[in-house]
Amino acid sequence: MSFPAAAIEWERLREERDAGGDPALSKRQTREAERSARAAAKQEQQERGYTVRILCEDYLVGHVDRARKPKGAIEVRRMFDTMLSPLDEASASTLTRRQCFDLLESLQHIPVQAAKLRAELGAAWDYALDAGRIPDSTPNWWRQIMRGRRPARRARSLRCRGVKDAARSGARSVAIDGGAGRS
C-alpha cells in the first residue's frame, strides 16, 4: 500500500472510531461471516454429494492450475466443460464402469481427444483418492477401460512403402529397404 493510500485509510478508520464505531469489531464480523458462508457451502456440497463436476473442479484448482502452463490448464478446463456434460451431476464415488465406457464410446468420432479425456479423468480420480475426497474403495475406471483396445496406427510413410506390420505378419523384425535391391 502506498503512503498516500495508507494515510487515506488511516483517516477513514479514525473517522469511523470517532463516530462510535469499532473497526476491529467490524473486521472480525466480516471474517466470521465469510467463514460461516464457506462452512455453509461445504455443508451444501456434502448434502448434494461429491459429483463428477466437483471432483474435476478440485483437480483443476488443486493440481492442473498449479502444475501446468496456462495454455495446458485452459485446454483441460475446456475439455472438462465441453465433454463431461452427461456425467456432471453423477456421484463420483458411485460411477459405474458402464457410465465411463459409454462416455468414451460416445467420443470415438474424436479418438485423440477421447484418449486425452480418459487420461485426465484418470489423473483426476487419482487426485481425489489421494486427497481422501472419495472412499479408498472407489475404483478408478478411467485407468482400466478401453486400455489397449486400438492397435497402434502405422505411419503413412511406412504403409506407402509396403512395410508390413510385424505383429500381423508373424515376422520378428521388419527391415526397411531404402530402395531397389543392392548387390
Side-chain angles (χ1 to χ4, degrees):
M1 180 181 287
S2 68
F3 181 74
I8 291 170
E9 180 67 18
W10 181 74
E11 282 293 325
R12 187 188 65 76
L13 291 173
R14 191 173 73 174
E15 288 173 4
E16 183 182 336
R17 188 195 64 208
D18 290 345
D22 186 0
L25 179 64
S26 64
K27 187 175 182 180
R28 196 174 318 122
Q29 288 173 339
T30 304
R31 250 194 326 248
E32 288 175 9
E34 290 173 358
R35 196 174 300 134
S36 65
R38 279 196 305 265
K42 190 172 186 176
Q43 179 66 27
E44 180 183 333
Q45 176 185 346
Q46 288 176 347
E47 289 171 3
R48 277 193 328 227
Y50 197 64
T51 64
V52 172
R53 171 55 60 188
I54 296 169
L55 181 144
C56 290
E57 191 61 36
D58 285 350
Y59 170 67
L60 286 167
V61 171
H63 176 69
V64 174
D65 290 341
R66 293 180 185 175
R68 301 207 186 152
K69 292 182 180 176
K71 183 178 179 183
I74 289 169
E75 173 58 21
V76 174
R77 188 174 299 278
R78 183 203 63 78
M79 194 168 33
F80 284 170
D81 289 342
T82 58
M83 297 181 186
L84 280 182
S85 56
L87 297 179
D88 268 351
E89 297 303 317
S91 172
S93 60
T94 60
L95 198 65
T96 64
R97 186 177 186 127
R98 181 184 179 101
Q99 288 173 305
C100 299
F101 180 83
D102 289 344
L103 176 68
L104 293 179
E105 192 66 24
S106 72
L107 298 172
Q108 282 308 303
H109 63 284
I110 46 174
V112 173
Q113 204 64 35
K116 288 179 182 178
L117 178 67
R118 178 181 160 269
E120 289 297 340
L121 286 170
W125 249 253
D126 287 342
Y127 180 82
L129 285 165
D130 291 345
R133 294 192 175 109
I134 53 178
D136 288 338
S137 61
T138 304
N140 187 349
W141 296 121
W142 304 108
R143 297 277 189 223
Q144 299 172 12
I145 59 173
M146 298 186 98
R147 202 171 80 208
R149 295 281 171 113
R150 297 212 173 254
R153 294 186 176 164
R154 305 276 310 153
R156 182 176 179 183
S157 61
L158 294 178
R159 284 194 314 253
C160 290
R161 283 195 254 163
V163 175
K164 293 182 179 178
D165 189 356
R168 282 188 277 159
S169 67
R172 290 187 178 202
S173 65
V174 175
I176 299 177
D177 189 341
R182 296 187 183 156
S183 322

